[in-house]
Structure formats: C-alpha cells, structure tokens
Amino acid sequence: MRVLSRSIVNHAKNHLVRSPVITACVRGQQTAPREASQRNFVPNEPEAPKIVTSTIPGPVSNQKLHELAQFQETGAVQLFVDYERSLGNYMVDVDGNSMLDVYTQISSLPLGYNHPDLLALLDDPTNVKLFVNRPALGSFPGKDWGERLRNSLMQVAPKGLDHLCTMACGSCSNENAYKAMYMWYRTKERGGKLEFSQEELESCMINQAPGCPSYTLLSFKGAFHGRTMGCLATTHSKPIHKIDIPSLNWPIADFPKYKYPLEDHVRENQEEDKRCLEQVEDLINKYNRMGTPVAGTVVEPIQSEGGDNHASPEFFQQLQQVAKRTGTALLIDEVQTGGGPTGKLWCHEHFNLPEAPDIVTFSKKMLTGGFFCKEEFRPSQGYRIYNTWMGDPSKVIMLQEVLRVIERDNLLSIVQESGDVLMKGLRVLDQKFPQHINSVRGRGTFIAFDGNTTQKRDAIIGKLKLQGIHAGGCGEKSVRMRPSLIFQPHHANIFLQKLETVLSGL
Amino acid sequence: MRVLSRSIVNHAKNHLVRSPVITACVRGQQTAPREASQRNFVPNEPEAPKIVTSTIPGPVSNQKLHELAQFQETGAVQLFVDYERSLGNYMVDVDGNSMLDVYTQISSLPLGYNHPDLLALLDDPTNVKLFVNRPALGSFPGKDWGERLRNSLMQVAPKGLDHLCTMACGSCSNENAYKAMYMWYRTKERGGKLEFSQEELESCMINQAPGCPSYTLLSFKGAFHGRTMGCLATTHSKPIHKIDIPSLNWPIADFPKYKYPLEDHVRENQEEDKRCLEQVEDLINKYNRMGTPVAGTVVEPIQSEGGDNHASPEFFQQLQQVAKRTGTALLIDEVQTGGGPTGKLWCHEHFNLPEAPDIVTFSKKMLTGGFFCKEEFRPSQGYRIYNTWMGDPSKVIMLQEVLRVIERDNLLSIVQESGDVLMKGLRVLDQKFPQHINSVRGRGTFIAFDGNTTQKRDAIIGKLKLQGIHAGGCGEKSVRMRPSLIFQPHHANIFLQKLETVLSGL
C-alpha cells in the first residue's frame, strides 16, 4: 500500500494543522455539530478502510466472476460484495477488503449498509407479510397503501406537485412520465376534450396517427434518463448505451459546458447558458414546423451519468420560461439527484424556480421509482399509466423509515456539512495538483472532479480502491462522489487524505 | 346474494352426482392424488368464500378509494385488500369479504397469499439483510449471487437457453430482450465483428444511423408485451394502452383467430395458421426491402391480455421456421404464461419446438423479471444491457423457495389436475349456457372463456364477485382464470358451482 502523505498522517494522528487541505478540513468540521462529527450514525462502523489484497478485485471476487460468467454477461461487474459484513459507509468485499464507499451502489443506498433502523423493520410481522404478498398496486392496493403514501412520498412531494404515480425503477418512471406529457399535450390539442375519436381508437392499434401522434421530446447532449427505448432516445451520455439500438429523430440541444472555477468565468458561462437556451427554443420551433411537435423537455438538474455537468439556477429558470412560451412541458429527472444528496431533498429546490416543474421523476435513493406531477399531468382514466406491479410496497415501507431517519438525525444538514468539507478539501487539492485534476463542482456531497485525461481519471479511481476508497466514474473523465446520507465530516476527511495520497503518487 | 343452483348445492353438501357439470368435476377429482385433493397446501385456508357486503367494492374500499384519489389516478383500482388476513387462495378485502381468487394479482402470486414457507424466509437474518441492502447487481453482486441464480433461475432455464439476464419487471425484461435481438442482428450484419466504427460511435449519440440502425420488430395484433415505448410499439391489445403515445412504424401481423371447439374446426384453423404465417413472412420481406429490416419477431405463447388467444403447436413450429428462413430472431414472451400456470414451467414446452426459441422473457409468477437466451444473444460487452438494479435479490430468494415448494408439493401436477376439472366443467357449462358463454380454452389452469358480448362478460365477472369469486377480464369479452399454483381440484369445483349459479341467473 502507498505511504500516506506526511501532512495527512499528521492530521489523522493529532489534528495538527499543516497543509491548506487540512485547514479546509478542519474549517468544515467546525461547522458541524459536535455530537454529529463525533459519533457514527451506524454503531460499530469501522474507523478506517482496510485493504488486505494486493489487487482489487481480489482472488475470491475473480473466482466468483469466472463462475458467474458461465451464464451471464459480466463485463460491468467490478467485485463481489459481502453484504452481511458491510456496515454503514463501509462496503466489505468477498476478499475481506473494507472500503469507504462513496459510490453506494450507484447512489442508491440512502442510509448505507445494514442500517439498524431498516433491519428492525423486518422484526414486525406486518411488514414481513408485505414483503411476501406483492400486490398489483394499480388495481388491488393494500388497506394502508393510501396512508403509507401520504406519510412517505406525499410528505416530501416537491412544492406544487400534489399528484403521484409510483413505479418500480428509474427507467419505468421516466417512460411513464413521458407518457403523461404526451397525454397532456394531446389533450390540449383536443381543446381539453377527454373523449377519443373512432379514428384515434383504431389508428392507435396499428401504431399510426392520429391515435399515436408524431410527438417528440427534447433532451440534452450528455443526458442520461435510462435505457429502455423511450428513455434511451433522450439519453446521450455514452455510445455503449446506445449503439446498435434503433432510436428516434428527436431534438437534442446542447447542455451548458461551464468553465471552472465558476467565479473566474462568470461572463463566459452566462453566454453559454444563453447559447443553449436559444438552441432549445429554436429546436422546439423547428420540430413543431416539421410536424413532429415537441411535447416536452426532459432534463437532469445535474447531468449525473454524463459527467456531473451543472447548469446555473438562471439556466433552469429560463428553461422553464421557454417551456411556458412554447406550450411544452418540463420534466426534471431527479432519479439520481433526488432523496437528499445535494443537501436538499430535491436538487431543483436549489434553482428557485418561480413555480414547480410539471413533472419530477425519482428512484434510486428513494428506493421506489415514480413521479410527482401537477394535476393536469395526471392521466384522465385508469390503465393509461399502468402495469402489473406499479412499484412495490416493501420499498415504500423502507422509504418511510428512511425519511424518518433523515429527519431524526438531521441528515440533510450532515450532507451539507460533509459536502462543505469535501468541496473545500477538493479545491485545495485541485490547486495543489493541477497536473492531475480540475473542475471541482458539486452540491452537498453530490460532488465530482475531472481527471485531466480519461486515463488519469481511471488511474485515480483504481488507486483509490487500493487505498480503501470505493468511488465511481462518470462522463469521459470525471470521478463522481455519491456517498450515502450518513457520510459525515470525518468520513470526508478520510476520503481527502486518501485522495491526496493517490494524487501525490501519480 | 343469489341462490345457488340446486345441482351445485347438492354437490357441495353431499357429493351427489346430479348434473353433467358435477360428473365432470368428480371425474377431475378422481385423477388427483387423494392427499392432494383433501388437504389445502396452506393450513387454515377458508373452506369457502364469504361475502358480507351487498356491493363490491364495499363501503370501506370506497372510502379508501376516495382518499387515494386525492393524489393518485385510481380509475383502475377495483378494491382494497387486507393482505394480512388473505390466505392461500383466498383474498380478503378491507370490508371483510373473503374471495376465492382466480386472478391472483394479475397472475403474479405463484403460491397464493401468505404461504408459510415464504413467510419463514424472513426469519433468517441473512435474508433480512438482503432485503435492506439492495445491490447494483450488474456491478456489485453479493457473495452468493452466482449460486443463487444457479440454484433458482438456471435450474428452470428452458432447454437450450443457457444464458441469463435478470431485470426488475416484465416491461424492462422485454425492452432489454429487444435490445439483445438488435445487437445480434447488427453483429451479423457486421460479419461477426464486435468493434464499432467511429461513424457508428458518433452517430448513435444523436440517435442517427448507422449507430442507431433503422431496425424494426414484428409483433401480432392482439399482443401485449408491456407499456414502455419499445414494448408498447409491439402491444396491440387495447386502445387505452396506446392512445396519445407516439409509436413506430413496425410490422404487425394477424395472430390466428380460432373457431371453438377446436375438434370441430380443424381444417379452418389450419387455414388460419397458414394465412397468418404467410403474412409474417411477407411483412418481414417487405420491411427488409423498405430499408427497415426486421431484427426479430416477438410473440406470446398465449395472447394473455388480448383475450387468451391460442395458436397451435404447429403455428409456433412454423413461425420458428420463418424466423430461420428470414435470418430473424424469435422471442417468446412468457411474462404471463411462465412459472407453471399452464402445467409446464414454460408454456412453449407444449409446442415441441425442434430447438429452443432464441430468447424467453419472464416476470410475474417468477417474481423477478429477466430473460433466458442463446449464447449468441448474450451482449458482447458490459453496460450494453444494464441498469442500476438489474433485478432484486430479495425476489430471487423468494423464487428459489417457490421453486422448491413447486417441486416438493408436485404443484405442476396439481395445476394439470385442477385444470382438467375446470376444463371439463366449463365445457359442460358452455354447452348448457350457449346463450351466455362460448370458446372455452386453456392449458393447465391458464383458462379463459368468452362472454357472448362485452356486457355479458362484464356482468359475469361482477356477479362472480358477489358469489365470492374474484376473476379477471381480458380482450374484448373474455374471462381469464389465473389462479395460483396451489389452486386444487376442490377450489376448481367451488369456482364451477359459483359460475353455474351466475350463469343460471343471468
């Protein structure tokens, strides 16, 4: 294992302030409540990472990979995890490596591993019965389904979005939210009428207009919204997701590409917003003229798979104005950003929109998929947005508990505090190692930075693993941090120490 | 409540043989092993349905519906269920009505409600941990994931399909299986090469050919494959699923429409097979000439949502030949038929295909979604077929137990025996009430019959509810039976008695 850099070792041992990194770390800690920074939220969580193999994946993971590959494609498998032994922020692999996990199952574990409050749920026989009797929720909901939703999802509905549809995963959430936009647009075209003509009813059965209208959706370069056909037509993050799959001639606009640090490039970044917004409006008008009208725009608040590309609150405010001006819908896809990692439950709350977006989709940290929407985006009849399961009550039980823990333990503040520690520390490292990394950016702990090349990014992630840090990549050359909501300032300091070690040794 | 017909009451009370229906029922019972027909598989299951409200949904369901409708579209909600009190084949609603359930959450409960062996799974703390630590299976599988799959899904893989991909639901299973067909087809076009050209890599990012080729899939009128965009383009069962949603100009062939009883219409039905198969081949050739080549055909072994439309084994054998002749793939969608309800684990086993279809998709009774495929349909690289969760280990744990119980309790034989009782009884009722019903058809307990009109079908389902039988509709005028695998001959007899009562009173 690589030797820790001297300054970091000093810090870890006796909190002596030596380097700018450490100064930043300590500043971050000082803003945290004393009790929060001193105890772990999950008892018995390890104090530090521990790596016991010389390569990751280690030999046991490699053996299991070989076995699984007999009958399944395994090109994306990184390692095998011992989920019984993993705890809190630490993921333990089958070779016994215990890693501080800042990627948390692609950002889908809100409370880390084996959180005691979630385990306790299964002690309740009523809950156990919900796990083994999965209902067709759209037709036969359980007796407390309404209360469950009211006490979980509806408690955290973005302001102004009073209607809800549950789904099983992120792709299905987006696919069905797209349908809600088409229906809304078509109902407008019909002058609000809810009845269908005979011609519509017949033509839709053979995929033809007017029953199946030639609507399109506008999406952004770099976007990721899922991999089913409708979602994939709006996804433009990496060729591997899209190649060989038929798609649709839908409008695709540039998403702002900012220069960092933001404070040094204010004017250029404003120009970039303006350029992209003009393109959006031009494309909507162009597609309308072509007879393939744009029903709506779909956008992530942070392009989370395509490279953690951020846009300003002003960009989103103006995007909403463009949608209004053109009579099109605006969907904000919070599948990866929703549920707290940006320090607010919904990332778009950072944008101060004058009114809610029309639809917000979610999944991952929310444990269940689904979308919130305005009343006019709620389907007019049963079975228009429907499938067998429509989600899974066992996930909503867990979400209800997650939301309770977030409030009880004040986890959104923890996210903000840990995020501050990370951002300050990363900015110092950015200045110290400009030959390796750049463009530190983020909200809360939803943070990324770029390697100067793809190779460098990959090297950083690989070497971090051997230091006991499990991080993820996104876009062409970004490292993305997606810790759980119980990631505390002292975890942030461990991350920074290890990253400094890696960067020093590159 | 309606008075039971005399013959049925007699049978229920003292097993006296009076009517042809009863004769058939008893014949059915005689083929069942004595112990199986005398005990219930779930202890303490009710002896008979019990209806306590004068309407269904009752007042408590209606109140809950009103509350849920405040924030969710509820047009498809039928009633609210007390899942704690439901047991075995009996679903108990929130008004206290205990109904024999032959619809079982749209055919998705393999072992009925609260099966003791499934409840016992949650006594094991190792399993509990799997429920609260949902992994990103495609990248970080758990230590026993390979063994779990090997001991569950791979044990029941259709012969010749040695490769597997897990997914969360039926729609995602089909969407991703479609992608596997496109990739296979494109790889053939590339002469087997697995590398992509720069032009392909760039064009796919903006949804254009050659990266996103103009491939199509052939589907059948009356088919149902799901409601996400790709699936929906191959679904043609009811306008309500499709209206206002943009779709694709893909080929759609006629599915055979048989005349019943089959034995009286052999020649006509053979002609019908021939007509449809010719149409399939013509369409494939036509779309190939148009520059929108057909990569594959997707078909249900029984069109399960579009009206329980059956086709002969010969039809499927020849469909496979057409696929081979045209160099296209054949996907059999067993989302609703898979997992045992036809008396075999996979319905296509009834067809004696000379070799396996290329892909078989599943979900519902299998608890997890996914697909089996031949090696050449397995993606060549990681991330080509991928999403965050790739299914859910908690479902696979339950499936493993379900498969154990199916074998231990010999449930596929039970399905066959109960199906025989149902078919014989229904054929007698068909002859006795030709003014109400027709076209009894099915395999195992996967059985349907038609009302003579849509109104009559709806009336039968409504009146069955008040008799304590919960059944479902499909297509324009069919009643579909989808009981669980623990539905025994004595349950079949209860169903027949109640149906006779309903038909007598129409």
Side-chain angles (χ1 to χ4, degrees):
Chain A
M1 209 193 306
R2 220 164 266 288
V3 178
L4 292 177
S5 84
R6 182 142 177 240
S7 63
I8 297 293
V9 171
N10 284 344
H11 171 66
K13 281 191 177 155
N14 49 31
H15 291 251
L16 284 176
V17 177
R18 285 286 179 272
S19 80
V21 178
I22 302 317
T23 313
C25 297
V26 173
R27 230 186 353 253
Q29 279 183 330
Q30 282 167 343
T31 67
R34 194 175 171 77
E35 68 276 20
S37 61
Q38 287 191 339
R39 69 171 173 89
N40 290 317
F41 286 111
V42 174
N44 304 317
E45 187 185 74
E47 295 275 307
K50 188 177 162 199
I51 297 301
V52 297
T53 59
S54 57
T55 58
I56 295 179
V60 183
S61 265
N62 281 331
Q63 175 59 29
K64 287 185 181 288
L65 186 71
H66 176 74
E67 289 161 16
L68 187 60
Q70 305 296 309
F71 57 86
Q72 193 184 283
E73 205 289 314
T74 52
V77 172
Q78 293 188 23
L79 45 76
F80 285 74
V81 176
D82 189 332
Y83 287 103
E84 281 180 76
R85 291 178 62 200
S86 300
L87 192 64
N89 291 281
Y90 285 83
M91 180 177 82
V92 180
D93 76 6
V94 290
D95 286 281
N97 297 301
S98 178
M99 285 176 269
L100 180 66
D101 190 358
V102 299
Y103 193 40
T104 59
Q105 309 300 317
I106 320 180
S107 199
S108 67
L109 289 184
L111 303 182
Y113 297 94
N114 287 306
H115 194 284
D117 292 296
L118 293 184
L119 290 176
L121 282 179
L122 277 287
D123 293 340
D124 180 341
T126 308
N127 290 339
V128 169
K129 288 197 174 182
L130 272 165
F131 279 79
V132 304
N133 297 305
R134 186 176 187 180
L137 283 169
S139 291
F140 314 107
K143 61 180 175 183
D144 59 356
W145 183 235
E147 292 95 303
R148 286 262 181 215
L149 293 179
R150 204 178 276 282
N151 294 328
S152 56
L153 286 165
M154 293 311 293
Q155 293 292 319
V156 295
K159 200 174 158 215
L161 300 186
D162 299 329
H163 297 270
L164 171 66
C165 177
T166 53
M167 284 286 154
C169 71
S171 290
C172 287
S173 303
N174 280 331
E175 287 275 347
N176 282 283
Y178 293 1
K179 289 163 66 169
M181 292 197 285
Y182 303 133
M183 292 178 201
W184 166 82
Y185 193 88
R186 183 75 182 139
T187 305
K188 272 201 316 170
E189 278 195 336
R190 276 195 201 95
K193 264 206 318 169
L194 298 178
E195 300 79 41
F196 312 120
S197 72
Q198 196 56 33
E199 194 191 359
E200 286 175 319
L201 291 168
E202 283 167 15
S203 57
C204 79
M205 292 292 272
I206 51 167
N207 298 8
Q208 303 298 319
C212 295
S214 302
Y215 295 158
T216 61
L217 293 178
L218 184 139
S219 55
F220 289 93
K221 287 181 189 157
F224 183 89
H225 301 287
R227 295 175 178 89
T228 49
M229 188 168 194
C231 294
L232 197 56
T234 58
T235 286
H236 317 282
S237 57
K238 287 173 196 153
I240 196 71
H241 307 321
K242 293 178 69 78
I243 198 149
D244 293 355
I245 314 299
S247 197
L248 295 144
N249 183 22
W250 285 359
I252 310 163
D254 285 343
F255 192 79
K257 274 194 160 67
Y258 289 159
K259 295 214 166 82
Y260 288 86
L262 294 176
E263 55 273 26
D264 299 344
H265 302 86
V266 173
R267 200 189 47 77
E268 288 150 288
N269 292 340
Q270 279 174 348
E271 288 292 318
E272 176 68 353
D273 277 0
K274 189 157 170 270
R275 186 183 70 80
C276 295
L277 287 160
E278 281 172 4
Q279 210 180 84
V280 168
E281 192 152 3
D282 288 349
L283 278 167
I284 292 175
N285 291 329
K286 179 182 159 196
Y287 272 72
N288 289 350
R289 282 194 307 271
M290 282 162 57
T292 51
V294 177
T297 291
V298 48
V299 66
E300 295 156 279
I302 300 168
Q303 289 191 331
S304 314
E305 208 278 329
D308 272 32
N309 307 316
H310 287 251
S312 65
E314 294 72 27
F315 173 81
F316 285 98
Q317 290 160 16
Q318 288 164 43
L319 185 64
Q320 187 173 47
Q321 290 311 309
V322 172
K324 289 193 164 295
R325 214 160 37 233
T326 53
T328 57
L330 178 62
L331 180 157
I332 298 196
D333 173 351
E334 295 247 22
V335 166
Q336 191 157 163
T337 49
T342 68
K344 295 184 187 284
L345 264 177
W346 304 108
C347 184
H348 76 268
E349 294 173 47
H350 290 283
F351 302 154
N352 298 313
L353 297 176
E355 65 171 88
D358 298 308
I359 304 190
V360 170
T361 54
F362 56 84
S363 187
K364 285 186 179 267
K365 275 197 175 60
M366 298 297 285
L367 302 180
T368 173
F371 62 88
F372 295 107
C373 65
K374 293 180 179 165
E375 185 167 15
E376 59 263 40
F377 286 83
R378 178 175 153 156
S380 57
Q381 287 160 271
Y383 297 108
R384 299 195 72 183
I385 290 194
Y386 188 86
N387 57 50
T388 298
W389 285 318
M390 299 289 286
D392 187 339
S394 71
K395 306 302 179 195
V396 174
I397 294 175
M398 288 201 283
L399 173 65
Q400 197 174 347
E401 186 65 9
V402 166
L403 294 175
R404 197 183 67 81
V405 171
I406 288 176
E407 194 171 344
R408 182 195 68 193
D409 293 348
N410 206 9
L411 293 185
L412 294 185
S413 299
I414 299 293
V415 167
Q416 205 48 268
E417 289 158 18
S418 303
D420 287 348
V421 175
L422 285 173
M423 283 297 285
K424 285 173 190 155
L426 283 169
R427 283 190 175 133
V428 174
L429 291 175
D430 183 14
Q431 286 171 356
K432 189 168 171 190
F433 299 103
Q435 72 279 30
H436 298 320
I437 64 169
N438 66 81
S439 302
V440 173
R441 58 205 182 271
R443 292 185 184 278
T445 55
F446 199 102
I447 290 175
F449 55 93
D450 288 354
N452 286 1
T453 63
T454 303
Q455 292 70 24
K456 204 153 259 184
R457 184 268 312 268
D458 294 347
I460 292 169
I461 291 176
K463 287 172 193 293
L464 275 173
K465 274 209 184 78
L466 293 173
Q467 290 290 330
I469 304 287
H470 179 59
C474 66
E476 267 180 50
K477 46 188 182 178
S478 307
V479 176
R480 62 173 150 174
M481 300 195 63
R482 300 289 189 271
S484 74
L485 307 178
I486 58 164
F487 182 86
Q488 293 168 266
H490 64 277
H491 299 113
N493 282 323
I494 294 173
F495 173 83
L496 292 168
Q497 292 159 24
K498 300 293 188 182
L499 180 60
E500 185 167 23
T501 304
V502 165
L503 296 174
S504 304
L506 269 189
Chain B
M1 210 191 309
R2 222 163 266 287
V3 178
L4 293 177
S5 84
R6 185 144 174 238
S7 62
I8 298 293
V9 171
N10 284 345
H11 171 67
K13 283 191 176 154
N14 48 31
H15 289 253
L16 286 176
V17 176
R18 286 285 181 273
S19 79
V21 177
I22 303 315
T23 315
C25 298
V26 173
R27 228 182 1 248
Q29 278 184 329
Q30 282 167 344
T31 67
R34 195 175 169 78
E35 67 277 18
S37 61
Q38 286 190 339
R39 69 170 173 88
N40 289 317
F41 285 110
V42 174
N44 305 317
E45 188 185 75
E47 295 275 306
K50 189 178 159 198
I51 297 301
V52 297
T53 57
S54 55
T55 57
I56 295 178
V60 183
S61 265
N62 281 331
Q63 175 58 31
K64 286 183 182 291
L65 186 71
H66 174 75
E67 289 162 16
L68 187 60
Q70 306 296 312
F71 56 86
Q72 194 185 283
E73 205 289 313
T74 52
V77 172
Q78 294 187 23
L79 45 75
F80 285 74
V81 176
D82 189 331
Y83 287 102
E84 281 181 76
R85 292 178 62 201
S86 299
L87 192 63
N89 291 280
Y90 285 83
M91 179 177 83
V92 180
D93 75 8
V94 289
D95 287 281
N97 297 301
S98 178
M99 286 176 269
L100 180 66
D101 190 358
V102 298
Y103 194 39
T104 59
Q105 308 300 320
I106 321 180
S107 201
S108 67
L109 288 184
L111 302 182
Y113 298 95
N114 287 306
H115 194 284
D117 291 297
L118 293 184
L119 290 176
L121 282 179
L122 279 287
D123 293 341
D124 180 341
T126 308
N127 291 340
V128 169
K129 288 195 175 182
L130 272 166
F131 279 79
V132 304
N133 297 304
R134 187 176 188 179
L137 282 169
S139 290
F140 314 107
K143 62 180 174 183
D144 60 356
W145 182 235
E147 292 95 303
R148 285 262 182 215
L149 292 179
R150 204 178 276 281
N151 292 329
S152 56
L153 285 165
M154 293 312 291
Q155 292 293 317
V156 295
K159 201 175 158 212
L161 300 186
D162 299 330
H163 297 270
L164 170 67
C165 177
T166 52
M167 284 286 154
C169 71
S171 289
C172 288
S173 303
N174 280 329
E175 286 276 347
N176 283 283
Y178 293 1
K179 290 163 66 169
M181 292 197 286
Y182 303 132
M183 291 177 199
W184 167 82
Y185 194 89
R186 183 74 182 139
T187 306
K188 272 201 318 170
E189 278 195 334
R190 275 194 202 96
K193 262 206 321 170
L194 298 177
E195 300 80 41
F196 313 119
S197 72
Q198 196 57 33
E199 194 190 358
E200 286 174 320
L201 291 168
E202 285 167 14
S203 57
C204 80
M205 292 292 272
I206 50 168
N207 299 8
Q208 302 298 318
C212 296
S214 302
Y215 294 158
T216 60
L217 293 178
L218 184 137
S219 55
F220 289 94
K221 287 180 189 158
F224 183 91
H225 301 288
R227 295 175 178 89
T228 48
M229 189 167 194
C231 293
L232 197 56
T234 59
T235 285
H236 316 282
S237 58
K238 288 174 196 151
I240 197 70
H241 307 320
K242 293 178 68 79
I243 199 148
D244 294 355
I245 315 298
S247 196
L248 296 143
N249 183 22
W250 285 0
I252 311 162
D254 286 341
F255 191 77
K257 273 192 160 63
Y258 290 159
K259 294 212 166 83
Y260 287 87
L262 294 176
E263 53 274 26
D264 299 343
H265 302 87
V266 173
R267 200 190 46 79
E268 287 150 287
N269 291 339
Q270 280 174 349
E271 288 293 319
E272 176 67 355
D273 278 0
K274 192 161 168 268
R275 186 184 71 80
C276 295
L277 288 160
E278 281 172 5
Q279 210 180 84
V280 169
E281 193 151 2
D282 288 349
L283 278 167
I284 292 175
N285 291 330
K286 180 182 157 194
Y287 272 73
N288 288 351
R289 283 195 306 270
M290 281 162 56
T292 51
V294 177
T297 292
V298 47
V299 65
E300 295 156 278
I302 301 169
Q303 289 191 331
S304 314
E305 208 278 329
D308 271 33
N309 307 316
H310 287 252
S312 66
E314 294 71 27
F315 173 82
F316 285 97
Q317 290 160 18
Q318 289 165 42
L319 185 64
Q320 188 172 47
Q321 289 312 308
V322 172
K324 290 192 163 298
R325 215 161 35 233
T326 54
T328 57
L330 179 62
L331 180 156
I332 297 197
D333 173 350
E334 295 247 25
V335 166
Q336 190 157 164
T337 48
T342 69
K344 293 183 188 286
L345 265 178
W346 305 106
C347 184
H348 77 267
E349 294 174 48
H350 290 283
F351 302 154
N352 297 312
L353 297 175
E355 65 170 87
D358 299 307
I359 303 189
V360 170
T361 54
F362 56 83
S363 185
K364 286 187 178 267
K365 275 198 175 57
M366 298 297 286
L367 302 179
T368 173
F371 62 89
F372 296 108
C373 65
K374 291 179 179 165
E375 185 167 15
E376 59 262 41
F377 286 83
R378 179 176 151 154
S380 56
Q381 288 160 271
Y383 298 107
R384 299 195 72 185
I385 290 193
Y386 189 86
N387 57 50
T388 299
W389 284 319
M390 298 290 285
D392 187 340
S394 71
K395 307 300 179 196
V396 174
I397 293 175
M398 289 202 281
L399 173 66
Q400 197 173 347
E401 186 65 7
V402 165
L403 295 174
R404 197 184 66 82
V405 171
I406 288 175
E407 194 171 344
R408 182 194 68 193
D409 294 346
N410 207 10
L411 293 184
L412 294 185
S413 299
I414 298 294
V415 167
Q416 206 48 265
E417 290 158 18
S418 303
D420 287 348
V421 175
L422 285 173
M423 282 298 283
K424 285 173 191 155
L426 283 169
R427 282 190 177 134
V428 174
L429 291 175
D430 184 13
Q431 286 172 356
K432 190 171 169 187
F433 299 102
Q435 72 279 29
H436 297 323
I437 62 168
N438 67 81
S439 303
V440 173
R441 58 204 183 273
R443 292 183 184 279
T445 55
F446 199 103
I447 290 175
F449 55 94
D450 287 353
N452 287 2
T453 62
T454 302
Q455 291 70 23
K456 204 153 260 183
R457 184 271 309 271
D458 294 346
I460 292 169
I461 291 176
K463 286 172 193 293
L464 275 173
K465 275 209 184 79
L466 293 172
Q467 290 290 328
I469 304 288
H470 179 60
C474 66
E476 268 179 49
K477 46 188 183 179
S478 306
V479 176
R480 62 173 150 174
M481 300 195 63
R482 300 291 190 270
S484 73
L485 306 178
I486 57 163
F487 183 85
Q488 293 168 266
H490 64 277
H491 300 112
N493 283 322
I494 294 173
F495 173 81
L496 292 168
Q497 292 158 25
K498 300 293 189 184
L499 179 60
E500 185 169 22
T501 304
V502 166
L503 296 175
S504 302
L506 269 189

